[in-house]
Amino acid sequence: MRLNQAAPAAGGAGGAANADLSVSRDDLGAIGGDAYELRQRLSKDGDHARPQTFEAALALTNGNFGSGAALLQVHDRWNEQLHTLLDAVAHISNHLDYSAAAHDKDDADIITDLSVSKIDQYFT
């Protein structure tokens, strides 16, 4: 008998499907490490052409070419988007580190709060 719920759809949430959604601390650490490495590489590789692009924009502008201002806009937009992406990847890495630490703290709190004597109190 089911109260206040519908039968789960095939392949939907519920039953064995939830087991696939579990994650371990090692998984979080690996993903966080990958995000950190991605940020490091993106920081270096994403900024590779910026100085030369800026110099080219200035040279074109100083040479009275209208494309200098347009290239400077491309430079500025690229720089903004790169920093937005770097911040997003850093946020992912930091959040995964925080999540792992928070779960460790929760586990420690549960162990401390539910000592054998406290459990005995619930059954006596």
Side-chain angles (χ1 to χ4, degrees):
M1 181 164 125
R2 295 180 192 265
L3 298 176
N4 296 326
Q5 67 180 8
N18 284 340
D20 293 341
L21 297 177
S22 66
V23 66
S24 70
R25 180 168 172 67
D26 290 341
D27 293 335
L28 291 176
I31 295 168
D34 288 345
Y36 177 79
E37 185 177 322
L38 174 63
R39 187 185 187 288
Q40 295 303 102
R41 288 202 54 211
L42 185 60
S43 179
K44 178 184 169 205
D45 295 342
D47 197 45
H48 179 72
R50 187 193 50 77
Q52 292 84 3
T53 303
F54 185 73
E55 289 175 17
L58 287 180
L60 288 169
T61 300
N62 290 338
N64 293 323
F65 289 96
S67 58
L71 186 56
L72 186 58
Q73 285 181 332
V74 169
H75 166 272
D76 292 346
R77 178 59 59 102
W78 178 266
N79 204 32
E80 290 170 13
Q81 295 297 319
L82 176 62
H83 283 92
T84 299
L85 186 56
L86 288 169
D87 289 345
V89 173
H91 182 73
I92 291 168
S93 177
N94 292 340
H95 181 71
L96 290 169
D97 289 343
Y98 171 80
S99 295
H103 288 300
D104 286 347
K105 182 184 179 306
D106 291 344
D107 287 346
D109 289 347
I110 289 169
I111 290 169
T112 302
D113 290 345
L114 290 179
S115 65
V116 173
S117 61
K118 283 195 172 193
I119 292 173
D120 285 341
Q121 290 173 3
Y122 290 110
F123 293 108
T124 57

